[in-house]
Amino acid sequence: MNINHTHLTDSLERELLQQAIAAQYEYPRLDELMVKLFRKIVSFFRGPEVVLNQTHTAH
């Protein structure tokens, strides 16, 4: 049976951890941009006559 063990040096472990932390903060900005793009596409297809959160009263 062959079992491979990987040992990280302290400096490599710190570098990988820093990269993971930096990558974690990149995605919320991308998500925000994707939401804005999606909303623009939806509003384009709906047209100007549709207003979100519009309430109607019966007379």
Side-chain angles (χ1 to χ4, degrees), residues 1-3 15 23 25 28 31-32 44-45 50 56-57 59:
M1 179 185 282
N2 185 6
I3 300 176
E15 181 182 341
Y25 289 106
D31 290 343
E32 179 184 330
F44 175 77
F45 285 109
V50 177
H56 297 279
T57 57
H59 293 297

Side-chain angles (χ1 to χ4, degrees), residues 25-40:
Y25 289 106
E26 291 175 12
Y27 293 109
R29 179 68 180 146
L30 179 61
D31 290 343
E32 179 184 330
L33 293 174
M34 292 297 290
V35 167
K36 286 182 180 181
L37 177 63
F38 179 74
R39 286 182 180 162
K40 285 183 181 182

Side-chain angles (χ1 to χ4, degrees), residues 1-52:
M1 179 185 282
N2 185 6
I3 300 176
N4 294 326
H5 292 281
T6 303
H7 297 283
L8 299 176
T9 61
D10 288 340
S11 61
L12 179 58
E13 187 175 358
R14 281 192 295 270
E15 181 182 341
L16 292 173
L17 186 58
Q18 287 173 348
Q19 289 175 0
I21 291 171
Q24 182 180 6
Y25 289 106
E26 291 175 12
Y27 293 109
R29 179 68 180 146
L30 179 61
D31 290 343
E32 179 184 330
L33 293 174
M34 292 297 290
V35 167
K36 286 182 180 181
L37 177 63
F38 179 74
R39 286 182 180 162
K40 285 183 181 182
I41 292 170
V42 169
S43 68
F44 175 77
F45 285 109
R46 284 190 175 172
E49 68 277 357
V50 177
V51 178
L52 296 177

